[in-house]
Amino acid sequence: MSAKKTAGIQYKCSSCGHIQPRWMGRCPECGEWNSFAEYRQQQPASVPGLGIKTAERQTPKPLSSVTSMKTSRLKTGIAEFDLVLGGGAMKRSAVLIGGEPGIGKSTLLLQTAAAAAAHGAQILYVSGEESAAQIRARAERLCLKTDMIQVLCTAALSDIEHALDTMQPQLVIVDSIQTVYAPEAGAVPGTVNQLKYNAASLVSWVKEHDSVLFLTAHITKDGVIAGPKSLEHMVDTVISFDRNNENARFLRAHKNRFGSVDELGIFTMEETGLVPVPDPSGLFMTNRNGDIPTGIALAPVFEGSRVFLVEIQALTVPAKAGVTRVYSDRIDSARVSRIAAVIEKCAGLRFSDQDLYIHIAGGVRLSESAVDAAIAAALCSSRTDTPLPRGAAFAGELSLAGEIRPVARIRQRAKAARALGIQTLYAPEREEGVHYIDSIRALVQAIFSTPETTRAPERR
Protein backbone atom coordinates (compact mmCIF):
# COMPACT_ATOMS: atom_id res chain seq x y z
CA MET A 1 0.00 0.00 0.00
CA SER A 2 1.45 3.37 -0.97
CA ALA A 3 2.33 6.02 1.58
CA LYS A 4 -0.13 8.41 -0.10
CA LYS A 5 -3.00 5.99 0.36
CA THR A 6 -2.23 5.33 4.01
CA ALA A 7 -1.60 8.95 4.93
CA GLY A 8 -3.81 10.10 7.79
CA ILE A 9 -5.02 6.58 8.70
CA GLN A 10 -4.61 5.57 12.34
CA TYR A 11 -6.26 3.09 14.68
CA LYS A 12 -8.46 4.18 17.58
CA CYS A 13 -9.59 2.17 20.61
CA SER A 14 -13.37 2.08 20.80
CA SER A 15 -13.22 1.70 24.58
CA CYS A 16 -10.89 4.45 25.78
CA GLY A 17 -10.11 6.44 22.62
CA HIS A 18 -6.38 5.65 22.58
CA ILE A 19 -4.87 6.20 19.09
CA GLN A 20 -2.08 4.05 17.61
CA PRO A 21 -0.29 4.41 14.26
CA ARG A 22 -0.85 0.69 13.55
CA TRP A 23 -3.38 -1.96 14.55
CA MET A 24 -2.81 -3.86 17.80
CA GLY A 25 -4.63 -6.81 19.29
CA ARG A 26 -4.79 -5.31 22.79
CA CYS A 27 -5.06 -1.67 23.77
CA PRO A 28 -2.00 -0.66 25.85
CA GLU A 29 -4.07 2.04 27.62
CA CYS A 30 -7.17 0.20 28.88
CA GLY A 31 -6.26 -3.44 28.22
CA GLU A 32 -9.28 -4.23 25.99
CA TRP A 33 -8.82 -6.88 23.27
CA ASN A 34 -9.75 -6.35 19.59
CA SER A 35 -10.99 -2.82 20.27
CA PHE A 36 -8.98 -0.96 17.60
CA ALA A 37 -10.77 0.27 14.49
CA GLU A 38 -9.49 2.22 11.51
CA TYR A 39 -9.60 5.95 12.08
CA ARG A 40 -8.84 8.57 9.45
CA GLN A 41 -7.32 11.64 11.01
CA GLN A 42 -8.90 14.87 9.86
CA GLN A 43 -7.96 18.50 10.23
CA PRO A 44 -11.24 20.27 10.92
CA ALA A 45 -11.60 24.01 11.15
CA SER A 46 -12.51 23.63 14.81
CA VAL A 47 -12.32 20.99 17.46
CA PRO A 48 -15.77 19.33 17.75
CA GLY A 49 -17.67 20.39 20.81
CA LEU A 50 -14.96 22.75 22.04
CA GLY A 51 -15.34 25.66 19.64
CA ILE A 52 -11.56 26.15 19.27
CA LYS A 53 -10.34 27.03 15.81
CA THR A 54 -7.12 25.28 14.97
CA ALA A 55 -6.19 27.95 12.41
CA GLU A 56 -6.01 30.64 15.10
CA ARG A 57 -2.91 30.74 17.26
CA GLN A 58 -3.51 31.84 20.83
CA THR A 59 -0.98 34.22 22.38
CA PRO A 60 -0.56 35.25 26.01
CA LYS A 61 -1.76 38.65 27.22
CA PRO A 62 -1.57 40.54 30.53
CA LEU A 63 -4.16 39.40 33.03
CA SER A 64 -4.89 43.04 33.89
CA SER A 65 -6.10 43.62 30.31
CA VAL A 66 -8.73 40.88 30.57
CA THR A 67 -12.28 42.13 31.16
CA SER A 68 -13.74 40.41 34.19
CA MET A 69 -17.02 38.62 33.59
CA LYS A 70 -19.70 39.65 36.07
CA THR A 71 -22.09 36.76 36.24
CA SER A 72 -25.16 36.34 38.37
CA ARG A 73 -26.62 33.34 40.10
CA LEU A 74 -29.71 31.42 39.15
CA LYS A 75 -31.85 30.59 42.16
CA THR A 76 -33.02 27.00 42.17
CA GLY A 77 -36.05 27.84 44.30
CA ILE A 78 -34.96 25.27 46.92
CA ALA A 79 -33.29 26.94 49.92
CA GLU A 80 -31.14 23.98 50.99
CA PHE A 81 -29.93 23.44 47.42
CA ASP A 82 -29.05 27.13 47.04
CA LEU A 83 -27.15 26.97 50.35
CA VAL A 84 -24.95 24.10 49.16
CA LEU A 85 -24.33 25.83 45.82
CA GLY A 86 -23.18 28.99 47.61
CA GLY A 87 -26.28 31.14 47.17
CA GLY A 88 -27.59 29.68 43.92
CA ALA A 89 -26.16 28.18 40.75
CA MET A 90 -23.65 30.45 39.04
CA LYS A 91 -24.48 31.13 35.40
CA ARG A 92 -22.05 29.72 32.81
CA SER A 93 -21.18 26.91 35.21
CA ALA A 94 -21.62 23.14 35.28
CA VAL A 95 -22.74 21.14 38.33
CA LEU A 96 -22.21 17.37 38.68
CA ILE A 97 -24.48 15.50 41.11
CA GLY A 98 -23.70 11.93 42.13
CA GLY A 99 -25.64 9.54 44.33
CA GLU A 100 -26.77 5.95 44.65
CA PRO A 101 -29.76 4.72 42.63
CA GLY A 102 -33.14 5.77 44.00
CA ILE A 103 -31.80 8.40 46.38
CA GLY A 104 -33.70 11.21 44.65
CA LYS A 105 -31.35 12.88 42.14
CA SER A 106 -33.97 13.03 39.39
CA THR A 107 -36.62 14.13 41.88
CA LEU A 108 -34.43 16.97 43.15
CA LEU A 109 -33.62 18.21 39.65
CA LEU A 110 -37.22 17.96 38.48
CA GLN A 111 -38.30 20.01 41.49
CA THR A 112 -35.51 22.48 40.70
CA ALA A 113 -36.67 22.72 37.09
CA ALA A 114 -40.26 23.41 38.15
CA ALA A 115 -39.18 26.05 40.70
CA ALA A 116 -36.89 27.81 38.22
CA ALA A 117 -39.58 27.68 35.50
CA ALA A 118 -42.02 29.34 37.89
CA HIS A 119 -39.69 32.37 37.91
CA GLY A 120 -39.63 32.59 34.12
CA ALA A 121 -36.52 30.56 33.27
CA GLN A 122 -36.56 28.40 30.16
CA ILE A 123 -35.76 24.79 31.04
CA LEU A 124 -34.43 21.88 28.97
CA TYR A 125 -34.68 18.52 30.72
CA VAL A 126 -32.72 15.81 28.89
CA SER A 127 -33.25 12.22 29.97
CA GLY A 128 -31.44 9.21 28.61
CA GLU A 129 -32.86 6.82 31.19
CA GLU A 130 -36.60 7.57 31.36
CA SER A 131 -39.35 8.20 28.86
CA ALA A 132 -41.29 11.44 28.68
CA ALA A 133 -44.35 9.67 30.10
CA GLN A 134 -42.38 8.52 33.15
CA ILE A 135 -41.12 12.05 33.78
CA ARG A 136 -44.65 13.45 33.43
CA ALA A 137 -45.95 10.84 35.88
CA ARG A 138 -43.32 11.83 38.45
CA ALA A 139 -44.16 15.51 38.01
CA GLU A 140 -47.85 14.82 38.58
CA ARG A 141 -47.08 12.75 41.66
CA LEU A 142 -45.03 15.65 43.03
CA CYS A 143 -47.75 18.17 42.07
CA LEU A 144 -45.35 20.20 39.92
CA LYS A 145 -46.25 22.63 37.16
CA THR A 146 -44.48 21.60 33.97
CA ASP A 147 -45.76 24.12 31.41
CA MET A 148 -42.36 25.80 30.98
CA ILE A 149 -40.25 22.62 31.02
CA GLN A 150 -39.12 21.21 27.67
CA VAL A 151 -38.35 17.48 27.77
CA LEU A 152 -35.94 15.74 25.41
CA CYS A 153 -35.63 11.96 25.80
CA THR A 154 -32.53 10.99 23.86
CA ALA A 155 -29.00 9.73 24.38
CA ALA A 156 -27.56 11.29 21.19
CA LEU A 157 -25.20 14.20 21.80
CA SER A 158 -26.06 15.69 18.40
CA ASP A 159 -29.76 15.91 19.35
CA ILE A 160 -28.87 17.61 22.63
CA GLU A 161 -26.58 20.14 20.95
CA HIS A 162 -29.24 20.93 18.34
CA ALA A 163 -31.82 21.53 21.08
CA LEU A 164 -29.40 23.76 22.98
CA ASP A 165 -28.66 25.91 19.94
CA THR A 166 -32.34 26.14 19.05
CA MET A 167 -33.81 26.86 22.50
CA GLN A 168 -30.99 28.70 24.27
CA PRO A 169 -32.31 27.57 27.70
CA GLN A 170 -31.28 29.16 31.00
CA LEU A 171 -31.23 25.81 32.82
CA VAL A 172 -30.09 22.51 31.28
CA ILE A 173 -30.49 19.18 33.08
CA VAL A 174 -28.88 16.02 31.69
CA ASP A 175 -29.93 12.81 33.44
CA SER A 176 -27.47 11.17 33.25
CA ILE A 177 -24.12 11.94 31.62
CA GLN A 178 -23.27 8.20 31.45
CA THR A 179 -26.11 7.66 28.95
CA VAL A 180 -25.07 10.36 26.46
CA TYR A 181 -23.59 8.90 23.29
CA ALA A 182 -21.53 10.32 20.42
CA PRO A 183 -20.46 7.98 17.56
CA GLU A 184 -17.16 9.78 17.03
CA ALA A 185 -16.14 9.06 20.65
CA GLY A 186 -16.35 5.28 20.36
CA ALA A 187 -18.77 2.45 19.83
CA VAL A 188 -19.87 1.88 23.43
CA PRO A 189 -21.76 4.44 25.59
CA GLY A 190 -20.47 5.10 29.10
CA THR A 191 -16.79 4.50 28.33
CA VAL A 192 -14.05 6.81 29.53
CA ASN A 193 -13.71 8.43 26.13
CA GLN A 194 -17.47 8.91 25.79
CA LEU A 195 -17.73 10.58 29.19
CA LYS A 196 -14.84 12.94 28.58
CA TYR A 197 -15.95 13.85 25.06
CA ASN A 198 -19.63 14.41 25.88
CA ALA A 199 -18.99 16.28 29.10
CA ALA A 200 -16.47 18.56 27.38
CA SER A 201 -18.97 19.32 24.62
CA LEU A 202 -21.79 20.20 27.02
CA VAL A 203 -19.59 22.17 29.42
CA SER A 204 -18.05 24.17 26.57
CA TRP A 205 -21.54 25.13 25.34
CA VAL A 206 -22.69 26.37 28.75
CA LYS A 207 -19.49 28.40 29.19
CA GLU A 208 -20.47 30.47 26.15
CA HIS A 209 -24.08 31.09 27.22
CA ASP A 210 -25.86 32.51 30.27
CA SER A 211 -27.01 29.07 31.30
CA VAL A 212 -26.51 26.55 34.10
CA LEU A 213 -25.81 22.89 33.39
CA PHE A 214 -26.75 20.13 35.84
CA LEU A 215 -25.36 16.65 35.16
CA THR A 216 -26.35 13.60 37.17
CA ALA A 217 -23.83 10.79 37.43
CA HIS A 218 -23.85 7.14 38.42
CA ILE A 219 -21.65 6.01 41.30
CA THR A 220 -19.65 2.84 41.84
CA LYS A 221 -20.14 0.35 44.68
CA ASP A 222 -17.45 2.28 46.58
CA GLY A 223 -19.59 5.41 46.51
CA VAL A 224 -17.48 7.46 44.08
CA ILE A 225 -18.64 8.89 40.77
CA ALA A 226 -18.23 6.37 37.98
CA GLY A 227 -15.89 7.25 35.14
CA PRO A 228 -12.62 9.14 34.90
CA LYS A 229 -11.59 11.56 37.62
CA SER A 230 -11.15 14.17 34.89
CA LEU A 231 -14.96 14.35 34.72
CA GLU A 232 -14.96 16.07 38.12
CA HIS A 233 -12.21 18.44 36.97
CA MET A 234 -14.25 19.57 33.95
CA VAL A 235 -17.20 20.85 35.98
CA ASP A 236 -17.30 23.76 38.43
CA THR A 237 -19.18 22.06 41.26
CA VAL A 238 -19.32 18.43 42.40
CA ILE A 239 -22.14 17.49 44.77
CA SER A 240 -22.83 14.18 46.48
CA PHE A 241 -26.27 13.01 47.58
CA ASP A 242 -26.26 10.67 50.60
CA ARG A 243 -28.83 9.19 52.92
CA ASN A 244 -28.99 7.82 56.44
CA ASN A 245 -30.87 4.75 57.56
CA GLU A 246 -34.15 6.65 57.60
CA ASN A 247 -35.69 9.14 55.16
CA ALA A 248 -33.15 11.96 55.58
CA ARG A 249 -31.06 13.01 52.59
CA PHE A 250 -27.78 14.93 52.82
CA LEU A 251 -26.53 17.19 50.04
CA ARG A 252 -22.86 18.19 50.25
CA ALA A 253 -20.43 19.88 47.84
CA HIS A 254 -16.98 18.30 47.45
CA LYS A 255 -15.86 20.95 44.98
CA ASN A 256 -17.25 24.44 44.43
CA ARG A 257 -15.44 27.13 42.47
CA PHE A 258 -18.03 29.75 43.42
CA GLY A 259 -18.77 28.97 47.06
CA SER A 260 -17.95 27.03 50.20
CA VAL A 261 -17.71 23.25 50.41
CA ASP A 262 -18.60 23.22 54.12
CA GLU A 263 -22.37 23.65 53.82
CA LEU A 264 -24.70 20.69 54.31
CA GLY A 265 -28.19 20.60 52.82
CA ILE A 266 -30.69 18.34 54.56
CA PHE A 267 -33.93 17.02 53.06
CA THR A 268 -36.57 14.51 54.01
CA MET A 269 -38.29 12.35 51.42
CA GLU A 270 -42.06 12.81 51.58
CA GLU A 271 -44.96 11.94 49.28
CA THR A 272 -44.59 15.34 47.61
CA GLY A 273 -40.88 14.82 46.98
CA LEU A 274 -37.82 16.16 48.74
CA VAL A 275 -38.72 18.62 51.49
CA PRO A 276 -35.95 20.89 52.87
CA VAL A 277 -35.39 20.87 56.61
CA PRO A 278 -35.29 24.60 57.47
CA ASP A 279 -33.89 24.23 61.01
CA PRO A 280 -31.94 20.98 61.30
CA SER A 281 -30.13 21.97 64.53
CA GLY A 282 -31.94 19.39 66.63
CA LEU A 283 -32.62 16.86 63.87
CA PHE A 284 -30.06 14.38 65.18
CA MET A 285 -31.14 14.54 68.83
CA THR A 286 -33.38 12.00 70.54
CA ASN A 287 -36.12 13.40 72.76
CA ARG A 288 -36.15 11.47 76.05
CA ASN A 289 -38.53 12.04 78.94
CA GLY A 290 -36.81 9.76 81.44
CA ASP A 291 -33.21 9.31 82.49
CA ILE A 292 -30.43 9.55 79.94
CA PRO A 293 -28.90 6.13 79.17
CA THR A 294 -25.23 5.56 79.80
CA GLY A 295 -22.84 6.16 76.93
CA ILE A 296 -24.81 9.07 75.43
CA ALA A 297 -23.11 12.45 74.85
CA LEU A 298 -24.10 15.53 72.84
CA ALA A 299 -21.72 17.54 70.66
CA PRO A 300 -22.37 20.86 68.86
CA VAL A 301 -20.72 20.54 65.44
CA PHE A 302 -20.35 23.07 62.65
CA GLU A 303 -21.38 22.23 59.11
CA GLY A 304 -20.68 25.33 57.07
CA SER A 305 -22.43 28.27 58.72
CA ARG A 306 -24.83 26.23 60.87
CA VAL A 307 -24.52 24.37 64.15
CA PHE A 308 -25.98 20.90 64.62
CA LEU A 309 -26.37 19.17 67.95
CA VAL A 310 -25.33 15.56 67.35
CA GLU A 311 -25.85 12.61 69.67
CA ILE A 312 -22.84 10.29 70.06
CA GLN A 313 -23.53 6.82 71.42
CA ALA A 314 -20.81 4.62 72.95
CA LEU A 315 -20.81 1.05 74.21
CA THR A 316 -17.97 -0.82 75.90
CA VAL A 317 -18.10 -4.58 76.55
CA PRO A 318 -15.38 -7.02 77.65
CA ALA A 319 -13.39 -8.36 74.74
CA LYS A 320 -13.61 -12.04 73.90
CA ALA A 321 -10.49 -14.19 73.70
CA GLY A 322 -8.33 -11.21 74.65
CA VAL A 323 -8.61 -9.56 71.21
CA THR A 324 -10.10 -6.06 71.34
CA ARG A 325 -11.91 -4.48 68.41
CA VAL A 326 -13.38 -1.09 67.57
CA TYR A 327 -16.66 -0.77 65.69
CA SER A 328 -17.54 2.76 64.61
CA ASP A 329 -20.25 4.04 62.32
CA ARG A 330 -19.58 7.21 60.29
CA ILE A 331 -16.46 8.12 62.25
CA ASP A 332 -12.88 6.90 61.89
CA SER A 333 -12.24 3.84 64.08
CA ALA A 334 -8.56 4.79 64.47
CA ARG A 335 -9.69 8.06 65.99
CA VAL A 336 -11.83 6.20 68.53
CA SER A 337 -8.88 3.97 69.45
CA ARG A 338 -6.65 7.03 69.94
CA ILE A 339 -9.18 8.71 72.26
CA ALA A 340 -9.59 5.52 74.32
CA ALA A 341 -5.81 5.20 74.66
CA VAL A 342 -5.48 8.81 75.86
CA ILE A 343 -8.24 8.27 78.46
CA GLU A 344 -6.56 5.10 79.74
CA LYS A 345 -3.18 6.81 79.97
CA CYS A 346 -4.27 10.13 81.48
CA ALA A 347 -7.49 9.37 83.40
CA GLY A 348 -6.97 5.80 84.60
CA LEU A 349 -9.99 4.22 82.91
CA ARG A 350 -9.03 0.92 81.31
CA PHE A 351 -10.14 0.24 77.73
CA SER A 352 -7.43 -2.17 76.58
CA ASP A 353 -9.61 -5.17 77.49
CA GLN A 354 -12.82 -3.77 75.99
CA ASP A 355 -14.55 -3.87 72.63
CA LEU A 356 -15.61 -0.35 71.69
CA TYR A 357 -18.73 0.55 69.71
CA ILE A 358 -19.39 4.13 68.54
CA HIS A 359 -22.52 5.22 66.70
CA ILE A 360 -23.60 8.67 65.45
CA ALA A 361 -27.36 9.04 65.79
CA GLY A 362 -29.16 10.27 62.68
CA GLY A 363 -26.59 8.94 60.20
CA VAL A 364 -24.55 12.12 59.81
CA ARG A 365 -20.84 11.62 59.10
CA LEU A 366 -18.47 13.50 61.44
CA SER A 367 -14.90 14.56 60.75
CA GLU A 368 -14.56 17.68 62.92
CA SER A 369 -11.97 17.45 65.69
CA ALA A 370 -14.33 19.28 68.08
CA VAL A 371 -16.21 16.02 68.78
CA ASP A 372 -13.21 14.43 70.54
CA ALA A 373 -14.42 15.59 73.96
CA ALA A 374 -17.93 14.21 73.35
CA ILE A 375 -16.55 10.84 72.24
CA ALA A 376 -14.36 10.73 75.35
CA ALA A 377 -17.31 11.58 77.60
CA ALA A 378 -19.49 8.91 75.98
CA LEU A 379 -16.75 6.27 76.38
CA CYS A 380 -16.23 7.20 80.02
CA SER A 381 -19.97 7.08 80.67
CA SER A 382 -20.33 3.64 79.15
CA ARG A 383 -17.22 2.28 80.88
CA THR A 384 -18.40 3.41 84.31
CA ASP A 385 -22.11 2.69 83.75
CA THR A 386 -22.82 6.26 84.80
CA PRO A 387 -25.08 8.53 82.72
CA LEU A 388 -23.81 11.98 81.86
CA PRO A 389 -25.50 15.04 83.36
CA ARG A 390 -28.78 16.02 81.73
CA GLY A 391 -28.55 19.21 79.71
CA ALA A 392 -24.81 18.90 79.00
CA ALA A 393 -22.85 18.99 75.75
CA PHE A 394 -19.12 18.69 75.01
CA ALA A 395 -16.74 20.39 72.60
CA GLY A 396 -12.97 20.21 72.35
CA GLU A 397 -10.05 18.53 70.61
CA LEU A 398 -8.18 15.86 72.57
CA SER A 399 -4.40 15.84 72.31
CA LEU A 400 -2.14 12.84 72.89
CA ALA A 401 -0.96 14.46 76.13
CA GLY A 402 -4.49 14.40 77.53
CA GLU A 403 -5.15 18.11 76.95
CA ILE A 404 -8.51 19.30 75.66
CA ARG A 405 -7.66 22.05 73.21
CA PRO A 406 -9.92 24.95 72.16
CA VAL A 407 -11.90 24.75 68.92
CA ALA A 408 -13.28 27.49 66.71
CA ARG A 409 -16.48 29.43 67.38
CA ILE A 410 -17.25 28.23 70.91
CA ARG A 411 -19.59 31.15 71.48
CA GLN A 412 -21.79 30.16 68.53
CA ARG A 413 -21.77 26.53 69.68
CA ALA A 414 -22.85 27.50 73.18
CA LYS A 415 -25.60 29.76 71.83
CA ALA A 416 -26.99 27.02 69.58
CA ALA A 417 -26.85 24.52 72.46
CA ARG A 418 -28.79 26.87 74.77
CA ALA A 419 -31.44 27.35 72.09
CA LEU A 420 -32.04 23.58 72.20
CA GLY A 421 -32.27 23.40 75.97
CA ILE A 422 -28.63 22.58 76.78
CA GLN A 423 -27.62 24.54 79.88
CA THR A 424 -23.93 23.63 80.11
CA LEU A 425 -21.27 23.22 77.44
CA TYR A 426 -18.06 21.58 78.66
CA ALA A 427 -15.25 23.16 76.64
CA PRO A 428 -11.75 24.68 77.10
CA GLU A 429 -13.07 28.26 76.90
CA ARG A 430 -14.25 30.82 79.44
CA GLU A 431 -17.57 31.97 78.02
CA GLU A 432 -21.08 32.39 79.34
CA GLY A 433 -22.77 29.02 79.65
CA VAL A 434 -19.45 27.17 79.24
CA HIS A 435 -17.97 24.97 81.98
CA TYR A 436 -14.20 25.31 81.64
CA ILE A 437 -12.16 22.11 81.25
CA ASP A 438 -8.63 21.86 79.92
CA SER A 439 -7.75 18.16 80.21
CA ILE A 440 -9.31 14.72 80.02
CA ARG A 441 -8.75 14.30 83.76
CA ALA A 442 -10.64 17.55 84.43
CA LEU A 443 -13.44 16.34 82.17
CA VAL A 444 -13.77 13.04 84.06
CA GLN A 445 -13.76 14.84 87.41
CA ALA A 446 -16.33 17.37 86.24
CA ILE A 447 -18.91 14.95 84.85
CA PHE A 448 -18.56 12.21 87.51
CA SER A 449 -19.21 13.52 90.97
CA THR A 450 -17.32 11.02 93.14
CA PRO A 451 -13.77 9.66 92.84
CA GLU A 452 -15.11 6.13 93.37
CA THR A 453 -16.93 6.37 90.05
CA THR A 454 -13.71 6.83 88.13
CA ARG A 455 -12.09 3.89 89.93
CA ALA A 456 -15.00 1.51 89.34
CA PRO A 457 -13.71 0.08 86.03
CA GLU A 458 -10.44 -0.99 87.67
CA ARG A 459 -12.35 -3.26 90.05
CA ARG A 460 -14.21 -5.12 87.27
Side-chain angles (χ1 to χ4, degrees), residues 43-47 51-59:
Q43 299 294 332
S46 62
V47 179
I52 303 175
K53 294 183 178 179
T54 57
E56 296 182 0
R57 184 181 298 276
Q58 299 295 321
T59 58

Side-chain angles (χ1 to χ4, degrees), residues 167-189:
M167 288 180 53
Q168 300 289 318
Q170 283 80 46
L171 178 60
V172 183
I173 298 172
V174 178
D175 186 15
S176 66
I177 185 60
Q178 273 89 358
T179 62
V180 181
Y181 171 74
E184 58 269 27
V188 181

Side-chain angles (χ1 to χ4, degrees), residues 109-121:
L109 292 180
L110 188 58
Q111 290 181 240
T112 300
H119 291 84

Side-chain angles (χ1 to χ4, degrees), residues 318-331:
K320 297 179 180 179
V323 179
T324 61
R325 292 172 292 183
V326 177
Y327 302 89
S328 62
D329 184 23
R330 299 183 182 275
I331 198 165

